[in-house]
Amino acid sequence: MTSVWGELLGSELPVVAAPMAGGPGVPALVAAVTSAGGFAFLAAGYKTPEAMRTEMDQLRRHAIPFGVNVFVPNAVPIDVDAFRRYARDLAAEARPYGIELAADPVVDDDHWNDKIDLLLQDPVPVVSFTFGLPGKAVVSALRRAGSRVLVTVTNEAEARAAREQGVDGLVAQGADAGGHSGTHTPGEPATPVTLERLTGQVVRATGLPVVVAGGVTEARQVRDLIGAGASAVMVGTLLLRTDESGASQPHKDALVDPAFTETVMTHAFTGRPARALRNGFVDRHQAGAPLGYPAVHHLTRPLRAAAVAAGDTDRAHLWAGTGYRRAPAGPARDVVTALASAL
């Protein structure tokens, strides 16, 4: 008998590797999770369509099934004066690296149309979307091309709206998840609820298969969430320190550095709420940072890249969920096997 996650994802186990944009979610990690019986997503975010195709081709050469996650254009408007004020505030942070920050906001759609065209011409088993709704026409076209379509939601209202677009399933992201929140309304984040409660709310509201994400670190959580109605469980932070992860070494090291004692939700790095290890940059700039994605993302990106290259974890963005201390080193296969051990 085919399992719900088997029908939705085609995987042996209900364990999914999150699409971690910006470096961690490399093809080697996708391959390792898949070979262990799980399912994994490539992250299309921040990549050119050409780079996206290269990674897809790399996995296909080895006959590895995978999904692709795409950022939905959902720009958060930013006041030009607020942007310039923040750029001036950050000038001292950039000066040690010889970086001159942008004077005016840059807003783009992350190659939205080209990425959708690529996925229609070269379909993958599953396409997921984050930051908003892709539109009924996009959902229908991808499904006709043979892909199953998922949308990330953070509350019941978003889940109902996604269902109306004809999606095959949902990714319900809890507040404990690391990295960017998938909220459709960045300026009005949802009230945090437990992952178990969010699972129940979304399942009951939509009747769709639901992959749940946010702070999962143990096999018993996977068992309990499946028991609460989830079709599968997604993890990201738990895979950051694995051998196959593409996360930078400073990022991996910070997850076990006792100097970092907590995670916080912050929009200081990108202008969109994201959970990260609390560091000096967050402390210095959270209060004055404006909302405004992707303008703030483009503003800080060269500074963040320079900080990572220099091993400067005081200025780097260190995405992490609340369970970051339990992220193990070693093969990704071991993480997948351990999470599924209580089923």
Side-chain angles (χ1 to χ4, degrees):
M1 181 177 178
T2 305
S3 62
V4 176
W5 58 83
E7 293 177 354
L8 184 67
L9 304 171
S11 60
E12 177 186 347
L13 299 173
V15 178
V16 181
M20 294 182 283
V26 292
L29 181 60
V30 172
V33 170
T34 302
S35 69
F39 188 81
F41 284 91
L42 283 175
Y46 308 135
K47 295 187 179 81
T48 64
E50 294 74 22
M52 178 178 155
R53 182 188 289 278
T54 296
E55 292 192 344
M56 291 166 60
D57 289 346
Q58 182 177 337
L59 290 169
R60 284 209 173 99
R61 282 196 296 271
H62 299 283
I64 296 168
F66 60 94
V68 172
N69 175 262
V70 183
F71 289 167
V72 175
N74 185 7
V76 180
I78 187 167
D79 179 85
V80 174
D81 289 338
F83 177 90
R84 290 173 176 166
R85 183 167 55 251
Y86 193 44
R88 290 194 297 270
D89 290 344
L90 297 182
E93 304 278 5
R95 194 170 298 121
Y97 299 112
I99 296 170
E100 185 173 340
L101 300 179
D104 295 300
V106 174
V107 177
D108 63 13
D109 65 359
D110 200 33
H111 308 282
W112 169 256
N113 289 327
D114 290 340
K115 289 176 180 178
I116 297 301
D117 287 345
L118 173 57
L119 291 168
L120 291 174
Q121 297 162 11
D122 193 5
V124 297
V126 185
V127 177
S128 69
F129 293 97
T130 302
F131 295 168
L133 301 175
K136 289 183 179 181
V138 169
V139 173
S140 297
L142 288 168
R143 296 187 76 220
R144 285 196 301 271
S147 299
R148 294 178 292 282
V149 179
L150 309 180
V151 167
T152 302
V153 299
T154 60
N155 56 46
E156 187 177 331
E158 293 174 355
R160 291 182 185 275
R163 181 189 60 184
E164 294 305 308
Q165 300 219 332
V167 300
D168 296 282
L170 303 167
V171 177
Q173 183 195 46
D176 287 340
H180 281 114
S181 168
T183 177
H184 300 183
T185 54
E188 302 173 6
T191 301
V193 298
T194 66
L195 200 53
E196 290 79 2
R197 184 176 178 187
L198 178 63
T199 301
Q201 289 175 341
V202 172
V203 169
R204 288 191 299 272
T206 66
L208 291 172
V210 176
V211 180
V212 297
V216 175
T217 61
E218 299 179 3
R220 63 173 181 81
Q221 292 174 285
V222 176
R223 179 197 61 210
D224 292 347
L225 288 165
I226 296 295
S231 298
V233 174
M234 179 180 284
V235 294
T237 302
L238 206 62
L239 294 164
L240 284 175
R241 296 183 62 236
T242 60
D243 298 340
E244 298 87 356
S245 165
S248 69
Q249 195 59 49
H251 193 175
K252 291 183 177 184
D253 292 345
L255 295 171
V256 292
D257 185 339
F260 297 100
T261 60
E262 62 179 328
T263 65
V264 293
M265 290 296 293
T266 178
H267 58 269
F269 292 110
T270 68
R272 196 178 218 286
R275 185 170 293 280
L277 296 178
R278 180 180 177 183
N279 64 1
F281 188 95
V282 173
D283 288 343
R284 291 188 294 272
H285 300 294
Q286 174 64 16
L291 281 168
Y293 180 91
V296 174
H297 159 73
H298 288 301
L299 171 67
T300 68
R301 189 174 191 177
L303 169 58
R304 290 181 284 129
V308 169
D312 180 2
T313 53
D314 185 65
R315 293 183 175 93
H317 61 297
L318 304 169
W319 301 147
T322 57
Y324 69 97
R325 284 290 191 230
R326 299 184 66 87
R333 167 180 288 275
D334 291 351
V335 173
V336 176
T337 301
L339 287 170
S341 62
L343 297 176

